[in-house]
Amino acid sequence: MPNTKLRRLVATSIAVTLGATALAACGSSDDDSSAESGPANLTYWSWTPGMDKVVDLWNKGPGKEQQITVTVKKQASGDTLVTKILTAHKAKKAPDLVQAEYQALPTLVSNDALADIADESKDAENKFAEGVWQQTTLGSDAVYAIPQDIGPMMFYYREDLFKKYGLTVPTTWEQFAETARALKKKAPDTDLTTFSANDSGLFAGLAQQAGAQWWTTSGDKWKVGIDDAASQKVAKFWGDLVKEGAIDNQPMYTPSWNKALNTGKQIAWVSAVWAPGTLTTAAPDTKGKWAMAPLPQWDDSSDVTGSWGGSSTAVTTDSKHKGAAAKFASWLNTDPEAVAALAKESGIYPAVTTAQTSEAFAEPPAYFSNQPDFYTKAAEIAKTTAPSAWGPNVNVAYTTFKDAFASAAKDKSDFGAALKKMQDDTVADLKKQGFGVAE
């Protein structure tokens, strides 16, 4: 899709609720419109811990040589940051650079808040997996960000308890269901896993693995496919397991969920590459007892995973130093020293493929010291990440998911009806905001 067509499509008429906070001094620190050719002082909004230490490497090295100085301003993440960016942009005071989750990019682009840096990032594309790079182009010829970190999905399981109960690590979802049932027969008070509705990204990633494309374009209209066949298959699969009691139906990240993981009452978790950090806190007593394997597939011939989480570095349209900002964004996410520092200081799993097998990932996470090839496997799995398809109102779809699927899981009712609710609410919102929607 040509860049002009994409902007016309996504910028048709989106309404974003903006806070009343005045952000007159939050944008680029240089207001000289001709400053692109001279020294540049850039502001970067990011929530990543330790980012200031990584940026120091730039300021003392390449940035000093090129007279490009970057200042990090720590921000909240998620919808809070998106709203703050749009508020600042409305006043033409957005920072030069922003950290943005992949699913937030269409919303920011639709508000003309992100610059197209395709010309400045030509050397970066081949350093990322195709499915990862695609998330920053929105399927167009434009490039709206440089990928920073990714969350390829994987299967985590208690290796010792699988052995105790005579279970085999499932390689297909059919085997996964059989494993859940077999465990229930052997240990009725134990669950293979739980279906949780309090993190929309999990279901979105599973649907992505199955081939779902939740937002696509048809001519100059958006087409919503949240209740497509792939998503219906995923919803039915998990809904049936919950209904028959083969798995638990309690949400993640709660004290009871932590206890279940820590005591062996739940012995597996479908998650992403960042799971070791969560398990370290949730189940500290089981360190060294877990193992990681590829996500189960829908058939024996498939080799694909979904993505749960991840973010990018984007340049705003308010920046007076687009070229300089793009140089920094590329350095931050592709330079070996920068990416190694991100891994060390921020604990991220980098999007750039070469870093995934670098010295920074030579050792497994401490929690998985029993699996020396953890990151070798992770790098192989990351290559199989399926393309995603985000739209301008992901927040609406995600909010509906949490409400509709939480009720369905609790009541053990029809997951298909919850999926249709997501579809209907998302379509209704697009129409309300003035977007053309293809039926």
Side-chain angles (χ1 to χ4, degrees), residues 153-155 173 176 193 202 206 238 268-272 295 308:
M153 296 178 69
M154 302 156 184
F155 178 66
W173 287 114
F176 179 93
T193 193
L202 173 56
L206 291 171
W238 289 95
W269 183 28
V270 175
S271 189
L295 209 60
W308 182 4

Side-chain angles (χ1 to χ4, degrees), residues 45-47 75-86 99-100:
W45 284 4
S46 171
W47 68 81
Q75 306 293 327
S77 60
D79 291 342
T80 301
L81 178 56
V82 172
T83 300
K84 189 172 182 180
I85 293 168
L86 294 174
Q99 183 177 358

Side-chain angles (χ1 to χ4, degrees), residues 4 36 73 78 84 91 98 113 127 142 160 191 217 257 265 277 308 335 343 355 360 364 373 375 384 393 407 414 422:
T4 53
E36 181 67 58
K73 291 192 176 181
K84 189 172 182 180
V98 295
K127 298 180 181 180
D160 57 332
D191 292 290
T217 57
W257 181 74
K265 293 299 183 181
W308 182 4
D335 180 83
D373 65 347
Y375 282 122
T384 70
N393 61 343
S407 295
D414 183 16
M422 277 183 73

Side-chain angles (χ1 to χ4, degrees), residues 133-156:
W133 185 257
Q134 175 266 343
Q135 295 195 82
T136 66
T137 68
L138 309 188
S140 73
D141 294 331
V143 176
Y144 295 107
I146 304 296
Q148 181 165 300
D149 61 305
I150 56 174
M153 296 178 69
M154 302 156 184
F155 178 66
Y156 293 87

Side-chain angles (χ1 to χ4, degrees), residues 226 400-401 404-406 408 414-423:
I226 291 175
T400 301
F401 170 85
F405 275 86
D414 183 16
F415 277 30
L419 191 68
K420 187 177 186 303
K421 173 68 172 170
M422 277 183 73
Q423 170 81 15

